[in-house]
Amino acid sequence: MSEVLQISNITKSFRGNAQPAVQEASFSLKKGEIATIVGSSGSGKTTLLRMIAGLEIPEKGQIILDGKVINDTNIFIPPEKRNCSLVFQSYALFPHLIVRDNIYFGKNSSQNYDLIQNLIEITKIDQIQDRFPHQISGGQQQRVALVRALAINPSLLLMDEPLSNLDRELRLNVRTEIVSLLKKLKITTLIVSHDTEDALAISDKIIIIEEGMISQVGSPLEVFNVPKSCHIASLFGQSNFIPFENLDKKYKHFILNEKNEKVISVRPGQLKIVNELAVDEDLLCEGTILKICLIGLHKQLTIKCKQFVVNVNLSNLTDAIIGEKVKVVFKKNFFRYN
Amino acid sequence: MFRVLKNEILFKLNGWTFVSFIIGLFIIIPIAFVAIQFNNSSENWHHIQENVLYKYIYSTLILVLGTGVLSVFFGVITAWIISFYEFPGRKLLEWGLILPLTIPTYIAAYSYYDVLETFTPLMLWIRNNISFSAMNLFNDFMVYFVTIIVLSSVLFPYVYLSTRASFLMQGNKLIESAKILGHLPGQIFWNLILPLSRPAIVAGLSLVIMETLNDFGAVEYFGISTFTTGIFRSWMGMDDVGSALRLSSYLMFFVLLLMYFEKRMRGNAKFDQNDDSSLTHKRLVLSSSKSKSVLVICLVPLMLGFIIPVIRLSLWSISASKDFFNIELMQIRFNSIGLASFSSIIIVIVSIILLFSSKYFSSQIIKITNQFAVLGYSIPGAVIAMGILLVSAYINDITNIIITGTISSLFIAYLIRFLAVSSQPIDSGLEKECSQINQASRNLGKTAFHSLMKINLPLLKKPIFVGAILIFIDVFKELPLTLILRPFNFDTLATLTYDLNKQAQIFDASIPALIIIIITTIPIIFLNKKLERKS
């Protein structure tokens, strides 16, 4: 597959801020790939997206879209001449235009009549075409913004926090709809999100950005299972950081702190407890159950081992008693990426 | 800095930004020309410096201080009563208190022309029983006292409007919290509401001070020598443009200093609690006796600033030699309406071009030139007029084109002076309504012109309309600029009122004065109703 977007060493600073908003960012996207930039607030993810859209000018670095340089030291193609479209977090629908006029607003969109009709049908917004944006629901507004962005047949679709304004139930529906639509149309898409659950659900590739720097790029499972830092591991939920020195050297590890302590990240759901060790099971440690906490459909056990404390998630049906001696072993799914 | 310049020149330079930059420079140049005249040497400067400069500074400071303090007193008290208490007549007073804005300072002064005369017996008594110098001292005191009251009574609505808006924006939650913590209403006002409204009070006060410095008609009528009258006297009386320019540059630095202090005082403070609870602002219902007291308090500035001048002018108009529909007056009325309407259109178009270019292309250079271009509103009309005369003389020297004394010089002057008036609503409209959807429009491949016509203009109809009406009112009332720059034999209602009063034709002057008040009152009431409905 050919690369649609190539970003090399992009840097951007804002006046008054000592640290650059984005620093030496590099990654690429292949045709039809859906990637999500994940990071906490102020990490620079939206700035990066706006630079690709042409709404911010980078200080240095290069952006290539469809094989054409759109940003370089002496080149800046303005947003209206780039073949990429952006779905804004607040959707930015034109409030004085009805849905149909919003959709057909983009450059040359009238030439894409068949594509637009197809999109309207898939997204089920044909009944609301004569309404104004304030007369439709949040989910419908989201779909209209998406269809408007796709109506100009862009090489690259950019989406800034596309699901953040929707309630949980609607978000799950829209999330599924978006992924199936983008996959069907084979649209290369770059999404910005602070929600790791969304990122894991919709992406082919996840790009982690921390304090303006890209710290990890990989598939959702890779990033989830083998994070490159404590921060990345924590972004995707609770994790145990187990000292590497006592483990089998086959595990992928990272450096925890300035003292060069090496650890591996193991999610509570990737561990289980046994009384007797089977032949194909890898023992992590032996210890005593300190605490049992009920969390919805599962219970979390806090187990004190010799050198560390570890959390393990078990089904509610599993019996466990505080003070009981147990063996903590890795589940099979842990080894897929380790 | 270098990076910003590189981005501006390499990536953001286009037809829009280029034209905006040129317009911005065109507006800034006359002001900049005055600013560099602070060392201008002229034949009369020595005389001015030795004999009258001290008086100009002293009089200007007394007027600014007195008018500022009294306007804040009138404005804050009335805003407080209207915002926090319920009493019969409150709703009427709420918009009635802005009516003094329709009375230009010079017309207010003319309507009180005989007030000082009432003190003549007292002054004679002082001369006969104390001393001649004591009488002079008392006379000076009374002149300043009356001028300050006249100016404050028509300028206090600036403080009233900004303070009232701030009071209404303060969240009820804060007031309720203070009540729960055991504070009495008086304590809440002094310790909570007033400090929270400080930025709004300072904003209103700064407008009062700018208008006081700009005033020419009222101070000249009461015989007070301020910087503005000094500029007129140097240029028209002594035919000394150099001294007039030097005085203008001093006045301009004084204004810039004031603006600096205003900015420092306000800082970045923005204390308004704009939460939903502010909409349920509860007013305390007053007893009958207290209602009468607050009614009187609110009526004092309204009587002084609107009711008395209008009644007196109306009574005088009965004795005037010409009626409202006199042909000569119709022609002058047409001049004023034409000038104000055409200026509104030009200034609004320029505002749209400058603000749209700056925001649409995120151009830092245009943003900076725009910030300088709107300074004109703070600079007295006489100073702007001197700047235009100076630039016109240079242009005349180089190209032989005469601008001085033409209608075009008036339009340019109004553009410089009133650009900020339309820029303010259009700028906030652009920021609020169009900021992100302009980016969406660009991102969808549309040109700037298409985005302006199809997105911005339809969405900015209201702010554009508000800006145009405000400029119309300001130009319609404007005196010092028009007086200096008008073409020969060209009169507006403002200049006619001034000329007739100068010739002591008080009765005849009341007719154009009343027309000014009537024509500016209608849009002000209309705008207020619209804003009320919106809030």
Side-chain angles (χ1 to χ4, degrees):
Chain A
M1 275 196 287
S2 60
E3 279 168 340
V4 172
L5 178 72
Q6 285 170 274
I7 306 271
S8 323
N9 304 317
I10 284 291
T11 301
K12 170 83 184 170
S13 307
F14 289 108
R15 216 173 57 177
N17 290 354
Q19 206 183 334
V22 176
Q23 203 174 348
E24 302 281 338
S26 302
F27 65 90
S28 61
L29 290 186
K30 290 184 176 126
K31 172 92 183 138
E33 204 169 24
I34 300 175
T36 305
I37 306 175
V38 175
S40 42
S41 297
S43 57
K45 51 191 191 300
T46 299
T47 306
L48 187 53
L49 196 78
R50 288 173 62 83
M51 284 193 283
I52 298 167
L55 298 171
E56 299 284 352
I57 303 174
E59 267 159 65
K60 63 173 194 173
Q62 192 182 54
I63 304 174
I64 299 173
L65 181 65
D66 260 348
K68 187 181 163 194
V69 178
I70 56 168
N71 223 133
D72 206 336
T73 321
N74 295 315
I75 297 170
F76 173 75
I77 305 290
E80 56 269 31
K81 290 181 181 158
R82 298 182 178 202
N83 193 21
C84 64
S85 56
L86 171 64
V87 178
F88 289 83
Q89 185 175 3
S90 60
Y91 315 134
L93 296 176
F94 306 122
H96 61 302
L97 301 180
I98 57 169
V99 166
R100 185 183 299 105
D101 294 341
N102 260 287
I103 291 171
Y104 280 95
F105 185 86
K107 187 171 73 173
N108 303 331
S109 54
S110 52
Q111 292 164 19
N112 301 327
Y113 180 79
D114 291 340
L115 167 75
I116 293 171
Q117 284 312 114
N118 194 16
L119 286 169
I120 288 172
E121 214 168 282
I122 297 170
T123 53
K124 302 182 190 94
I125 54 169
D126 44 343
Q127 300 297 315
I128 55 162
Q129 286 188 73
D130 292 319
R131 293 197 204 161
F132 285 98
H134 67 270
Q135 294 171 321
I136 58 177
S137 69
Q140 288 169 328
Q141 286 182 16
Q142 214 286 337
R143 278 177 271 165
V144 173
L146 180 62
V147 173
R148 184 180 72 176
L150 292 173
I152 60 169
N153 202 8
S155 305
L156 174 69
L157 176 69
L158 305 167
M159 300 175 94
D160 187 8
E161 303 274 8
L163 306 168
S164 64
N165 287 340
L166 307 176
D167 59 52
R168 189 171 165 75
E169 199 183 337
L170 191 57
R171 207 168 92 195
L172 295 179
N173 290 336
V174 175
R175 196 162 79 183
T176 320
E177 281 174 21
I178 289 177
V179 177
S180 62
L181 177 69
L182 296 176
K183 284 289 167 200
K184 196 172 177 182
L185 298 170
K186 292 191 180 102
I187 302 279
T188 314
T189 308
L190 183 61
I191 300 167
V192 152
S193 177
H194 69 274
D195 192 308
T196 46
E197 193 191 311
D198 287 341
L200 290 171
I202 58 184
S203 323
D204 299 319
K205 183 188 266 182
I206 290 180
I207 299 153
I208 311 283
I209 185 164
E210 288 176 89
E211 293 178 350
M213 283 189 279
I214 290 179
S215 48
Q216 189 169 0
V217 180
S219 71
L221 283 173
E222 230 178 304
V223 174
F224 183 77
N225 287 317
V226 198
K228 280 190 177 169
S229 71
C230 253
H231 177 75
I232 299 173
S234 305
L235 269 179
F236 291 89
Q238 198 183 7
S239 195
N240 298 295
F241 300 116
I242 312 291
F244 178 67
E245 54 188 302
N246 304 321
L247 298 170
D248 193 328
K249 299 300 171 231
K250 67 186 177 188
Y251 300 119
K252 287 181 183 164
H253 63 275
F254 57 86
I255 292 167
L256 178 69
N257 50 28
E258 286 158 1
K259 289 178 195 162
N260 260 349
E261 273 182 67
K262 292 171 186 166
V263 291
I264 66 163
S265 161
V266 193
R267 308 275 171 196
Q270 292 172 325
L271 296 169
K272 63 178 182 180
I273 56 167
V274 291
N275 291 323
E276 291 302 323
L277 203 62
V279 185
D280 58 345
E281 280 173 338
D282 257 15
L283 178 72
L284 173 65
C285 65
E286 284 182 48
T288 314
I289 299 174
L290 274 185
K291 203 165 72 181
I292 301 170
C293 196
L294 277 170
I295 306 170
L297 291 173
H298 67 268
K299 57 173 78 163
Q300 187 168 82
L301 272 54
T302 305
I303 297 163
K304 171 94 179 78
C305 297
K306 199 176 171 186
Q307 285 170 321
F308 49 85
V309 175
V310 67
N311 290 315
V312 180
N313 284 354
L314 299 178
S315 150
N316 259 343
L317 301 170
T318 317
D319 290 327
I321 307 158
I322 291 176
E324 187 185 358
K325 289 200 181 304
V326 289
K327 291 185 174 73
V328 182
V329 296
F330 293 102
K331 277 186 186 171
K332 292 232 164 57
N333 65 6
F334 181 69
F335 297 102
R336 199 179 298 168
Y337 292 90
N338 267 287
Chain B
M1 182 68 186
F2 174 75
R3 179 160 53 87
V4 171
L5 265 178
K6 186 194 139 193
N7 283 351
E8 292 286 331
I9 294 165
L10 211 59
F11 303 146
K12 293 181 183 175
L13 185 64
N14 54 44
W16 286 90
T17 50
F18 181 74
V19 168
S20 301
F21 181 68
I22 298 296
I23 296 175
L25 275 188
F26 177 74
I27 294 169
I28 296 164
I29 282 173
I31 305 172
F33 265 52
V34 175
I36 55 171
Q37 300 297 321
F38 62 92
N39 210 15
N40 191 316
S41 59
S42 63
E43 46 182 323
N44 297 312
W45 182 250
H46 187 68
H47 158 76
I48 291 172
Q49 197 176 17
E50 289 287 306
N51 301 301
V52 287
L53 187 60
Y54 161 76
K55 197 158 190 206
Y56 292 160
I57 296 172
Y58 163 83
S59 308
T60 307
L61 284 178
I62 289 184
L63 273 188
V64 163
L65 203 70
T67 313
V69 169
L70 198 58
S71 298
V72 167
F73 180 75
F74 281 155
V76 173
I77 294 253
T78 48
W80 173 51
I81 292 171
I82 295 294
S83 308
F84 294 102
Y85 298 102
E86 191 60 67
F87 54 94
R90 189 196 63 81
K91 280 199 170 161
L92 200 66
L93 278 172
E94 188 168 14
W95 65 266
L97 281 165
I98 62 166
L99 288 179
L101 274 184
T102 61
I103 313 251
T105 48
Y106 53 90
I107 292 180
Y110 302 151
S111 65
Y112 288 106
Y113 82 97
D114 50 355
V115 168
L116 284 170
E117 287 171 19
T118 54
F119 296 100
T120 310
L122 182 62
M123 279 201 243
L124 287 174
W125 184 87
I126 293 172
R127 190 184 68 181
N128 295 335
N129 294 289
I130 305 174
S131 69
F132 189 76
S133 57
M135 185 200 74
N136 275 341
L137 202 66
F138 180 70
N139 183 45
D140 276 355
F141 171 77
M142 286 314 295
V143 166
Y144 281 109
F145 182 69
V146 169
T147 313
I148 286 169
I149 287 187
V150 168
L151 290 177
S152 309
S153 65
V154 291
L155 296 178
F156 85 90
Y158 287 118
V159 181
Y160 164 73
L161 278 172
S162 60
T163 313
R164 189 188 70 176
S166 168
F167 284 166
L168 293 176
M169 292 287 277
Q170 279 168 23
N172 223 19
K173 275 181 198 156
L174 285 180
I175 297 167
E176 281 169 356
S177 305
K179 275 182 191 166
I180 289 165
L181 291 167
H183 287 267
L184 298 169
Q187 289 174 314
I188 293 173
F189 178 74
W190 285 108
N191 301 332
L192 182 76
I193 295 165
L194 211 54
L196 284 174
S197 300
R198 187 173 54 91
I201 296 170
V202 173
L205 173 64
S206 67
L207 282 173
V208 170
I209 293 175
M210 306 298 178
E211 287 295 331
T212 309
L213 291 173
N214 180 51
D215 176 69
F216 168 68
V219 286
E220 200 217 14
Y221 199 70
F222 286 123
I224 296 177
S225 300
T226 62
F227 260 103
T228 310
T229 54
I231 294 167
F232 271 83
R233 214 169 288 159
S234 304
W235 185 57
M236 290 177 164
M238 298 194 262
D239 203 18
D240 181 1
V241 180
S243 297
L245 280 167
R246 193 161 176 173
L247 282 172
S248 302
S249 97
Y250 283 14
L251 182 54
M252 203 169 101
F253 281 115
F254 181 63
V255 170
L256 292 178
L257 203 67
L258 269 176
M259 285 172 71
Y260 171 75
F261 280 119
E262 190 236 337
K263 215 171 172 155
R264 290 260 331 237
M265 276 181 79
R266 285 170 68 185
N268 291 322
K270 202 180 170 189
F271 302 137
D272 299 332
Q273 299 282 311
N274 193 6
D275 57 32
D276 290 343
S277 64
S278 63
L279 300 173
T280 57
H281 205 95
K282 292 181 196 83
R283 290 189 176 91
L284 188 69
V285 180
L286 292 176
S287 65
S288 168
S289 58
K290 281 184 179 169
S291 293
K292 280 175 196 156
S293 310
V294 294
L295 201 64
V296 170
I297 294 171
C298 289
L299 277 175
V300 169
L302 182 61
M303 292 285 282
L304 288 171
F306 187 78
I307 298 172
I308 293 175
V310 169
I311 290 175
R312 298 198 83 191
L313 290 168
S314 305
L315 291 174
W316 294 339
S317 69
I318 299 166
S319 312
S321 63
K322 292 170 184 169
D323 63 22
F324 282 87
F325 303 102
N326 173 277
I327 295 207
E328 192 191 341
L329 208 57
M330 289 294 266
Q331 172 63 42
I332 292 170
R333 200 178 317 180
F334 177 76
N335 286 351
S336 283
I337 292 176
L339 207 57
S341 310
F342 201 62
S343 303
S344 300
I345 295 167
I346 292 177
I347 298 169
V348 161
I349 291 172
V350 170
S351 299
I352 293 169
I353 293 172
L354 294 184
L355 293 165
F356 177 76
S357 305
S358 148
K359 291 202 184 292
Y360 195 79
F361 298 102
S362 310
S363 169
Q364 289 301 313
I365 287 183
I366 305 303
K367 197 177 164 191
I368 292 167
T369 50
N370 283 358
Q371 279 170 350
F372 279 104
V374 295
L375 276 182
Y377 193 60
S378 327
I379 294 168
V383 177
I384 292 171
M386 295 316 297
I388 288 177
L389 286 175
L390 191 64
V391 175
S392 305
Y394 278 117
I395 293 173
N396 185 236
D397 279 349
I398 298 165
T399 62
N400 257 346
I401 296 171
I402 297 169
I403 299 174
T404 318
T406 63
I407 280 282
S408 53
S409 71
L410 264 184
F411 283 130
I412 295 167
Y414 293 148
L415 172 65
I416 296 169
R417 174 109 171 92
F418 298 123
L419 182 69
V421 176
S422 59
S423 293
Q424 206 271 334
I426 295 171
D427 190 26
S428 61
L430 267 169
E431 192 66 47
K432 208 169 121 195
E433 306 278 352
C434 308
S435 174
Q436 202 167 50
I437 55 177
N438 270 339
Q439 292 178 1
S441 178
R442 282 192 88 175
N443 201 254
L444 290 164
K446 288 297 179 185
T447 61
F449 183 72
H450 192 272
S451 301
L452 176 66
M453 300 309 283
K454 298 281 178 190
I455 302 294
N456 292 261
L457 291 186
L459 288 174
L460 292 176
K461 266 188 264 176
K462 272 185 195 166
I464 288 172
F465 182 65
V466 169
I469 285 191
L470 290 175
I471 293 171
F472 181 90
I473 294 169
D474 271 332
V475 174
F476 204 78
K477 295 192 304 185
E478 212 289 328
L479 180 67
L481 263 181
T482 320
L483 216 50
I484 297 180
L485 295 174
R486 63 178 160 160
F488 182 68
N489 245 348
F490 181 86
D491 267 317
T492 63
L493 289 168
T495 60
L496 181 68
T497 311
Y498 170 80
D499 286 337
L500 290 173
N501 269 293
K502 217 174 172 192
Q503 295 156 26
Q505 297 184 43
I506 299 294
F507 294 153
D508 284 352
S510 65
I511 302 276
L514 273 175
I515 298 173
I516 292 175
I517 295 169
I518 293 165
I519 292 183
T520 51
T521 302
I522 298 164
I524 279 199
I525 292 175
F526 177 71
L527 267 186
N528 190 59
K529 287 274 162 205
K530 251 190 135 97
L531 291 174
E532 260 180 7
R533 219 175 301 146
K534 200 177 160 194
S535 65

